[in-house]
Amino acid sequence: MRARFGLPAFDAGWVWLAGAGPGDPGLLTLHAVHGLAEADAVVYDALVDDRILALAKPTAQLVFAGKRGGKPSPKQRDISDRLIELARDGKRVLRLKGGDPFVFGRGGEEALALVAAKIPFRVIPGVTAGTGGLAYAGIPVTHRDTNQAVTFITGHSAAGEVPDGLDWHAIGKGSPVIVLYMAMKHLGIIASRFIEAGRDAAEPVAVVSNASTPQQRVLETTLGAAAADVAAAQVEAPAIICIGEVVKLRQGLDWLGALTQGRTLDPDPLGTDHLVNPAFKDAVS
Ligand code: SAH
């Protein structure tokens, strides 16, 4: 594979910081598959699918660095130290993270620790849940008729609270489509902030849990009802949440539902008199 695609050699003492995508092994990059095949140590997070770890060499050391069973996750510093230690031991270290390592994945922090320790590294981007996970639910994050921008937000600060460094009002007013990571816990508060900012409580929302895995579930709801519906349906984490008119496109683009449940797809999901969020009507007319 390496020669065929001109992939780089994985040298001893290097760390490859790679994204594993949202779950489906088919969404791995060739670089990530190559890294898995060559690594002596794979340091992985909770969101990395077992089918992906199964691609590692049988002799590879698998090091779990995530949160499991409600126990606190290892400190970021400890994970970085472990990477440095393994690399200094002459190992080829694959640091494997769910989605993309640089999207709400603390990949930058780990990479900076490697820089400080003078450990050579490579970054392998991955398919992030906010685009790829939604695509598996039949939702394009942008669509010409509905939105010319999209905002990705974390619903969880380092302290576990609703992030306070964001201008929620401005985002609610200014971003036609909003994609929320890690937002299940605070969904009620977040939705009410957007409604206060003028978003319609009836605006469509999709909550996609375990996207691209066999456990994928999609809940379609509205901004006003999202938190209650998520609780009632007992939707599990990890889930990616999309707010905006693009959610309606699912009626036409739920290719996975068509494939697995024989869902009939509507070629005109927005309807002839479709309308973007009234707040953005002027911008597109
Ligand atoms: N680096 C990751 C994000 C890590 S933050 C990425 O690029 O996707 C963890 C959050 O990502 C979860 O709380 C959830 O919101 C989202 N997420 C990751 N994998 C997911 C999946 N398979 N299905 C739904 N959401 C997912």
Side-chain angles (χ1 to χ4, degrees):
M1 186 169 92
R2 215 195 117 201
R4 186 159 169 212
F5 296 104
L7 300 175
F10 198 163
D11 290 324
W14 276 64
V15 176
W16 284 12
L17 182 59
D24 181 351
L27 296 178
L28 286 167
T29 61
L30 292 175
H31 281 297
V33 173
H34 170 50
L36 272 159
E38 301 275 307
D40 303 308
V42 179
V43 182
Y44 66 99
D45 282 348
L47 288 178
V48 175
D49 199 285
D50 286 344
R51 294 168 298 170
I52 288 172
L53 289 175
L55 297 171
K57 277 195 301 209
T59 53
Q61 183 184 350
L62 297 183
V63 182
F64 178 63
K67 197 189 277 190
R68 197 167 270 172
K71 297 202 185 100
S73 48
K75 295 224 165 29
Q76 194 59 45
R77 186 68 243 169
D78 294 345
I79 298 171
S80 299
D81 286 349
R82 193 72 197 272
L83 297 176
I84 292 164
E85 193 182 298
L86 287 162
R88 285 195 175 140
D89 254 10
K91 301 257 164 49
R92 289 171 290 188
V93 185
L94 184 71
R95 172 66 174 120
L96 198 57
K97 290 173 163 286
D100 184 291
F102 279 0
V103 180
F104 301 129
R106 311 190 73 167
E109 287 162 66
E110 290 178 22
L112 287 172
L114 298 174
V115 173
K118 299 195 165 30
I119 303 288
F121 69 98
R122 166 179 284 272
V123 177
I124 302 173
V127 173
T128 189
T131 57
L134 292 178
Y136 267 53
I139 301 168
V141 281
T142 71
H143 186 72
R144 203 175 53 169
D145 293 336
T146 57
N147 64 310
Q148 294 169 327
V150 54
T151 302
F152 297 101
I153 298 181
T154 171
H156 215 249
S157 69
E161 304 301 327
V162 178
D164 54 11
L166 290 176
D167 185 340
W168 293 91
H169 198 266
I171 293 166
K173 272 188 76 152
S175 182
V177 170
I178 299 165
V179 176
L180 298 163
Y181 290 72
M182 296 176 274
M184 297 279 275
K185 188 166 158 211
H186 301 307
L187 184 55
I189 300 174
I190 292 170
S192 56
R193 290 195 182 171
F194 289 142
I195 292 169
E196 279 162 28
R199 301 295 277 239
D200 189 347
E203 189 169 350
V205 169
V207 181
V208 186
S209 67
N210 290 302
S212 88
T213 75
Q215 289 76 40
Q216 172 170 316
R217 269 180 78 192
V218 184
L219 174 78
E220 282 190 55
T221 174
T222 60
L223 195 54
D229 284 355
V230 160
Q234 298 182 322
V235 180
E236 286 175 9
I240 192 87
I241 300 170
C242 180
I243 303 169
E245 293 296 301
V246 282
V247 170
K248 290 186 180 163
L249 288 157
R250 198 172 133 66
Q251 307 304 321
L253 300 176
D254 181 17
W255 58 274
L256 194 56
L259 197 66
T260 58
Q261 291 148 29
R263 180 173 186 179
T264 307
L265 301 180
D266 174 0
D268 185 22
L270 298 173
T272 39
D273 64 341
H274 82 270
L275 185 57
V276 294
N277 183 318
F280 303 101
K281 197 175 164 188
D282 294 342
V284 296
S285 59

